[in-house]
């Protein structure tokens, strides 16, 4: 277990001189964000009921296999409502305040008579804004002792709160969906390049759905917050791994605005899995429209998979490529 996960666990469950609950405690463990899955494994091994709230599809499938209950593509405030007993919520601190607010309000408003939230991060990624967000949902918020360059924020004493997604200009933002309730510049450039007749259209990695809203296509994303946001504006969206629920050659047009951050780190390799999926999902003669930050230079990755690639738009920040097999 990495240092951060070990610290979160000790603060939550009484190790290393913390004020956490005792090891024999068997209330519900809520897993908020677990990139390594080590917290989930430890919670399952502990014998407590484990509810996995992490929005990532692949990690959720692993949590199911481990024996955890998974909230999946259901709004967390709805999934947890009517809860009882005691609970401890643990995880790595989400990078967005919107996701933190969603978690805090959903957990505080669930109905547990006793609940603590323990979220850890590198000190440089913690901010006073996180304390303020937690304080809107809990009466007591403080920081744990540090361990190396890490520490936790700890919240308890749930307030009577509810969660309401952000809404703006026809878009809805559930939790930490990318770009919130607004269209991002790259996505708008991509939307402007889509053909008037798209045929069978897939928004691959749909985010809040701003790229293909109103175009009559389908959408998919591995992030449950994104799927819920897209559904809230009327898109038919699936929660899966890069369109894995769809058979080969299902679409004539694919729109792709791929992620390039893994947590707080830029990771230009994240596009590769989505490009592989695009090759599988496109029908013969179909086209992929991809937008990317120009400095990341994705064109080589696209050309390795597609027979014809052309630039169809470019501004000061973004490039749109059209690729056919």
């Amino acid at each position: 277990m990495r240092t951060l996960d070990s610290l979160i666990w000790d603060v939550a469950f009484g190790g290393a001189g913390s004020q956490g609950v005792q090891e024999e405690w068997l209330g519900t463990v809520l897993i908020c964000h677990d990139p390594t899955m080590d917290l989930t494994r430890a919670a399952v091994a502990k014998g407590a009921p484990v509810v996995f709230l992490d929005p990532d599809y692949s990690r959720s499938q692993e949590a199911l296999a481990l024996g955890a209950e998974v909230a999946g593509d259901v709004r967390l405030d709805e999934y947890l409502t009517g809860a009882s007993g005691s609970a401890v919520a643990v995880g790595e601190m989400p990078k967005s305040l919107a996701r933190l607010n969603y978690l805090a309000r959903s957990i505080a408003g669930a109905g547990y008579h006793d609940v603590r939230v323990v979220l850890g991060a590198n000190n440089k990624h913690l901010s006073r804004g996180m304390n303020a967000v937690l304080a809107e949902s809990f009466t007591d918020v403080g920081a744990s002792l540090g361990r190396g360059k890490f520490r936790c924020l700890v919240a308890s004493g749930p307030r009577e709160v509810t969660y309401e997604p952000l809404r703006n200009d026809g878009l809805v933002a559930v939790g930490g969906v990318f770009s919130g309730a607004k269209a991002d510049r790259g996505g708008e450039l991509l939307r402007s390049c889509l053909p008037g007749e798209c045929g069978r259209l897939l928004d691959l990695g749909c985010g809040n759905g701003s790229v293909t809203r109103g175009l009559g296509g389908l959408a998919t994303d591995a992030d449950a917050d994104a799927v819920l946001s897209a559904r809230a504006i009327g898109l038919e969206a699936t929660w899966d791994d890069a369109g894995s629920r769809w058979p080969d050659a299902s679409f004539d047009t694919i729109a792709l605005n791929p992620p390039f951050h893994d947590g707080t780190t830029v990771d230009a390799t994240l596009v590769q899995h989505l490009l592989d999926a695009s090759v599988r999902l496109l029908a013969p003669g179909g086209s992929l429209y991809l937008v990317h930050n120009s400095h990341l230079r994705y064109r080589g990755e696209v050309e390795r998979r597609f027979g014809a690639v052309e630039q169809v738009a470019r501004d000061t920040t973004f490039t749109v490529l059209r690729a056919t097999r």
Side-chain angles (χ1 to χ4, degrees), residues 249 254 274-283 305-306 325:
I254 293 178
L274 294 170
L275 289 176
D276 291 340
S278 298
V279 173
R280 182 183 71 81
L281 291 167
L282 272 178
R305 294 167 172 83
F306 291 87
R325 297 178 64 182

Side-chain angles (χ1 to χ4, degrees), residues 47-59:
V50 180
V51 180
F52 196 76
L53 308 182
D54 189 311
D56 182 78
Y57 178 81
S58 295
R59 292 197 293 268

Side-chain angles (χ1 to χ4, degrees), residues 147-289:
R147 183 177 298 173
K149 57 186 178 181
F150 305 104
R151 71 179 60 246
C152 298
L153 294 185
V154 182
S156 60
R159 300 182 188 273
E160 293 185 6
V161 293
T162 58
Y163 174 73
E164 184 62 33
L166 294 176
R167 301 174 187 274
N168 178 57
D169 195 26
L171 295 174
V172 178
V174 175
V177 62
F178 173 72
S179 194
K182 63 182 187 301
D184 75 286
R185 284 179 50 213
E188 286 296 274
L189 184 63
L190 174 60
R191 180 181 174 89
S192 73
C193 295
L194 295 178
E197 296 294 331
C198 292
R200 297 168 296 170
L201 170 65
L202 176 66
D203 191 343
L204 180 59
C206 61
N208 62 15
S210 63
V211 171
T212 59
R213 58 175 168 167
L215 299 182
L218 302 175
T220 186
D221 206 293
D223 181 83
D225 291 1
V227 170
L228 291 166
S229 300
R231 289 175 182 167
I233 62 169
L235 290 182
E236 182 180 340
T238 62
W239 182 54
D240 59 28
D241 178 23
S244 59
R245 297 190 185 185
W246 301 104
D248 295 358
S250 291
F251 300 97
D252 302 302
T253 305
I254 293 178
L256 176 57
N257 183 6
F260 62 93
H261 279 96
D262 183 7
T264 58
T265 303
V266 173
D267 185 352
T269 68
L270 295 174
V271 72
Q272 295 174 354
H273 186 45
L274 294 170
L275 289 176
D276 291 340
S278 298
V279 173
R280 182 183 71 81
L281 291 167
L282 272 178
S287 296
L288 165 70
Y289 289 82

Side-chain angles (χ1 to χ4, degrees), residues 5 23-24 45 49 71 74-75 116 123 135 146-147 155 176 229 231 243 287 315:
D5 291 332
E23 281 290 346
E24 63 271 16
V74 178
R75 267 182 47 174
R116 296 174 74 243
N123 290 323
R147 183 177 298 173
S229 300
R231 289 175 182 167
S287 296
D315 62 17

Side-chain angles (χ1 to χ4, degrees), residues 77-151:
D77 56 324
E78 297 173 356
Y79 190 88
L80 294 174
T81 189
S84 60
S86 57
V88 173
V90 297
E92 185 173 326
M93 179 68 72
K95 68 176 183 178
S96 88
L97 293 180
R99 174 70 185 177
L100 178 60
N101 179 60
Y102 177 39
L103 282 167
R105 288 180 176 273
S106 297
I107 294 168
Y112 295 108
H113 75 261
D114 177 36
V115 62
R116 296 174 74 243
V117 176
V118 180
L119 299 173
N122 190 304
N123 290 323
K124 68 181 181 180
H125 295 145
L126 294 172
S127 69
R128 293 186 182 276
M130 294 170 177
N131 295 64
V133 167
L134 288 169
E136 292 177 358
S137 296
F138 296 91
T139 58
D140 300 304
V141 179
S144 73
L145 295 175
R147 183 177 298 173
K149 57 186 178 181
F150 305 104
R151 71 179 60 246

